DNA sequence: TGTACATCAGTGAACGCGCGTTCACTGATGTAC
DNA sequence: TGTACATCAGTGAACGCGCGTTCACTGATGTAC
């Protein structure tokens, strides 16, 4: 709110541009996002937009960053709103927040998690920070639960009773050996985030991470058949229970 | 190979158009696919393409159908190549075939499983058949294994021993009650494909289905950090073991 | 408090390019007698 | 086997539209003395 009137006006205009860009995005998709259309909507000649935004790609970057932050915010708030000692509830809150944001904002979700925009490469130094908020929240949540002793020692998949062929593959057991380079990578992740959880749980964390987005993708991009599920939310809740089981969460 | 010379020439030209479209796709993405560019590449004036393809959208549909069929073919062949009684091997072969096709054909994978192409709606009557080949293969495989008694009665997640809070959520147990509308949908699926597997396994099947594509998405769309995993294939293999455990597969 | 100058926002024209689609047409290839 | 006609492939011009980006410019808003 500080700054000279000019600075405030400038900030206001940038906000308008990003807002209009967001609207364009949901109407025509990222590939067809155009600065000229934004200018038209803003009621200004097309070249005027270049006072505020260096190029079309820069507007895309602004939109990517904003979307990541909004999703990250939603997820972090949802997790914080769940009971501090209810690890399972926190996990489910995180997943539901991702799903709800995706369904509410399909175009922006597509910008972040759909096909890459042809000819556009997001600049890592600006998008990485906002981009990892969700996975960081997930990892923190798992690690906290582990430290609090709230995780099952033998999570789902570690020792099923089989009808026949009773030897589950070794790497499915959280305590068992993972292949070497993978273990090296997982150790690096543990170090980077100062995690207490064992490697195998980090691996399962990435599985739940990708699977969560797989499930949300299917709904947002309409990849279940058109009338297969009356209420996809119920299926999602079922999936969450299985995911929780995979992590040893209650 | 039958038909008059004219008919054969015509077929040849359509094949060329689709092939060029495929190449365009991988270079500029679906949103920027253009009939004029195809015509240029074909060495023909732009209006000539309309002799063969009614519109840009129709070319997109041809490409979607072709891609679905190629992926379906790859998956079916991979499954068939695995040992007939090795349910776990068949499952892994299916998943690997999806991953390999996706990594080999990122643009076409994006066309099928990425963001929807703005302004284009695939005609269900032409794409549904090819589009369900993968999931049908998966469902068949699970059902066959179930009928052969090759599935664990108590798959992963059904009864973990917990450190504390020792009550896993009811719907995570394959035998337990699923919410009503969901159960209704699952029953409809079982009827449609004449399945022997219980509802809960159908639900887990959809979870593995979406999770498989979630994992492949992450690799194809480069959503793990750029240098997080030395060999993402190893992580994928680990995930496969967990997926197999979820289904009770060896 | 008033004036001179610098800064900035927005204009309008232009460059050079792309697109999907239609339409009247020329010529070559096929078909029927 | 030869001719008359129909079918089809491909041409070229046009319509009407869009885009990103640059550049010299006008006029308003701020700043320094």
């Amino acid at each position: 709110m500080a700054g000279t009137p000019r600075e405030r006006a400038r900030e206001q205009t940038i906000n308008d541009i990003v807002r209009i860009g967001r609207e364009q995005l949901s109407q025509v998709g990222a590939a067809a996002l155009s600065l000229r259309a934004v200018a038209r909507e803003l009621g200004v000649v097309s070249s005027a937009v270049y006072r505020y935004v260096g190029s079309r790609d820069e507007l895309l970057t602004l939109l990517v960053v904003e979307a990541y932050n909004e999703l990250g915010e939603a997820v972090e708030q949802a997790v914080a709103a769940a009971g501090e000692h209810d690890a399972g509830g926190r996990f489910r809150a995180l997943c539901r927040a991702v799903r709800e944001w995706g369904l509410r904002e399909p175009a922006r979700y597509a910008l972040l998690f759909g096909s890459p925009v042809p000819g556009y490469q997001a600049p890592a130094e600006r998008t990485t920070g906002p981009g990892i908020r969700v996975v960081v929240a997930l990892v923190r949540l798992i690690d906290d639960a582990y430290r609090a002793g709230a995780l099952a020692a033998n999570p789902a998949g570690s020792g099923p009773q089989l009808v026949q062929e009773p030897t589950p593959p070794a790497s499915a057991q959280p305590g068992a050996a993972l292949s070497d380079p993978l273990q090296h990578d997982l150790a690096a992740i543990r170090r980077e985030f100062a995690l207490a959880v064992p490697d195998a749980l980090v691996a399962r964390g990435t599985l739940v991470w990708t699977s969560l987005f797989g499930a949300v993708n299917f709904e947002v991009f309409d990849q279940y058949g058109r009338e297969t599920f009356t209420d996809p939310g119920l299926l999602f809740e079922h999936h969450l229970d299985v995911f929780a089981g995979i992590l040893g969460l209650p």
Side-chain angles (χ1 to χ4, degrees), chain A residues 11-250:
Chain A
E11 203 168 326
Q12 175 62 49
T13 305
I14 291 195
N15 284 345
D16 286 347
I17 289 175
V18 173
R19 177 183 47 76
I20 293 168
R22 211 188 300 141
E23 290 162 12
Q24 290 282 321
L25 202 62
S26 54
Q27 283 163 28
V28 299
L33 180 77
S34 108
L35 281 190
R36 288 189 106 110
V38 169
R40 263 195 308 276
E41 194 71 24
L42 190 63
V44 114
V45 96
S46 69
S47 53
V49 177
Y50 284 84
R51 290 263 160 214
Y52 302 93
V53 159
S55 66
R56 193 193 92 115
D57 280 8
E58 195 184 312
L59 177 55
L60 270 176
T61 299
L62 290 175
L63 291 169
V64 167
V65 169
E66 189 201 46
Y68 271 133
N69 277 326
E70 206 174 301
L71 171 62
E73 204 79 48
V75 161
E76 286 164 16
Q77 281 182 14
V79 170
E84 197 177 339
H85 301 294
D86 177 11
R90 288 164 82 84
F91 170 71
R92 285 175 179 78
L94 183 153
C95 296
R96 289 183 193 127
V98 171
R99 171 173 183 266
E100 275 154 27
W101 190 84
L103 291 174
R104 202 180 333 119
E105 301 280 355
R108 298 163 77 199
Y109 181 89
L111 177 63
L112 302 183
F113 303 107
S115 340
V117 181
Y120 170 73
Q121 175 77 293
E125 69 279 10
R126 290 171 68 185
T127 57
T128 300
I132 63 175
R133 286 174 73 168
V134 171
V135 69
V136 165
L138 177 63
V139 161
R140 281 271 105 80
L141 184 160
I142 296 173
D143 198 54
D144 289 350
Y146 180 82
R147 286 173 197 266
L151 292 189
N154 253 343
S158 53
Q161 301 103 324
L162 293 170
V163 169
Q164 54 179 81
E165 312 222 38
T167 9
S171 63
Q173 303 190 13
L178 293 162
S179 58
D180 251 339
L182 181 55
Q183 209 154 20
H184 177 269
D185 295 333
L186 295 171
I189 295 171
R190 291 180 52 201
R191 252 178 283 119
E192 186 177 346
F193 295 100
L195 302 182
V197 291
D199 284 351
L201 244 166
V202 178
R204 278 158 179 261
T206 66
L207 180 140
V208 168
W209 178 35
T210 61
S211 298
L212 165 62
F213 282 96
V216 175
N217 271 328
F218 261 58
E219 281 197 61
V220 175
F221 298 156
D222 215 9
Q223 270 159 13
Y224 295 119
R226 235 136 304 276
E227 280 150 10
T228 313
F229 292 106
T230 322
D231 180 358
L234 294 175
L235 184 63
F236 187 74
E237 288 297 321
H238 169 267
H239 289 179
L240 291 194
D241 291 338
V242 178
F243 291 157
I246 290 173
L247 296 173
L249 281 165

